[in-house]
Amino acid sequence: MAVASVIPWQVEAAESSPSGIVLVVGGPALVIYVTPTHEELFKKFNPELQKRSLETRDERLRQHHEFVTKLKEYSKSDKPIWVVAKEAEAKEREAAKQEQLRRDDEARQLKDEIRKHSTGGD
């Protein structure tokens, strides 16, 4: 008597393979088909939002370009990007603080000069 050497899980796997393929391929295909494009979303905006979006587009593109450029610079370092970014932010804060101190000093000098001329003390 010949006994089939088929294990039950092999039968189940053979029967469920087509449905698995349908899910693996069909799921993402359905998501891609249903997801609207950027143009379709933009057309659904009200006219005010469309106008505002078009006005700020160049600024957003410029900011994105700067962000990507900074990331490229940060990635050249041996340190992790977040560490390099934190260091760069600290340097920028220090530079901004120095610039503010310089402006305050100029304003103080200008104020002193105005006082000097207004009191007539040359």
Side-chain angles (χ1 to χ4, degrees), residues 59-110:
E59 178 66 19
R60 284 183 285 120
L61 287 174
R62 185 189 59 76
Q63 288 174 347
H64 177 72
H65 180 68
E66 288 176 3
F67 175 73
V68 170
T69 304
K70 284 183 180 180
L71 280 182
K72 286 179 182 177
E73 287 178 24
Y74 299 161
S75 68
K76 291 178 184 176
S77 174
D78 292 338
K79 299 177 186 176
I81 289 178
W82 57 89
V83 173
V84 178
K86 195 171 185 178
E87 291 172 355
E89 288 175 8
K91 285 179 186 177
E92 288 175 7
R93 279 194 302 270
E94 184 62 32
K97 190 184 294 184
Q98 292 297 326
E99 180 65 22
Q100 185 62 40
L101 289 173
R102 187 188 61 77
R103 285 185 196 152
D104 291 345
D105 189 43
E106 285 179 2
R108 186 177 39 77
Q109 287 176 356
L110 183 61

Side-chain angles (χ1 to χ4, degrees), residues 5 32 38 54 60 64 73 85 102 107 112 117-118 120:
S5 62
I32 291 170
H38 293 292
L54 289 174
R60 284 183 285 120
H64 177 72
E73 287 178 24
R102 187 188 61 77
D112 290 344
H117 285 294
S118 67

Side-chain angles (χ1 to χ4, degrees), residues 8-63:
W9 64 266
Q10 287 177 331
V11 172
E12 290 175 11
E15 290 174 355
S16 63
S17 291
S19 60
I21 291 173
V22 166
L23 289 176
V24 169
V25 175
L30 178 65
V31 169
I32 291 170
Y33 176 73
V34 173
T35 304
T37 63
H38 293 292
E39 292 81 22
E40 291 171 342
L41 285 175
F42 186 76
K43 288 177 186 176
K44 291 183 181 182
F45 284 177
N46 71 28
E48 268 183 44
L49 287 176
Q50 287 180 359
K51 181 180 176 186
R52 194 173 347 151
S53 177
L54 289 174
E55 288 172 353
T56 60
R57 183 174 189 269
D58 291 334
E59 178 66 19
R60 284 183 285 120
L61 287 174
R62 185 189 59 76
Q63 288 174 347

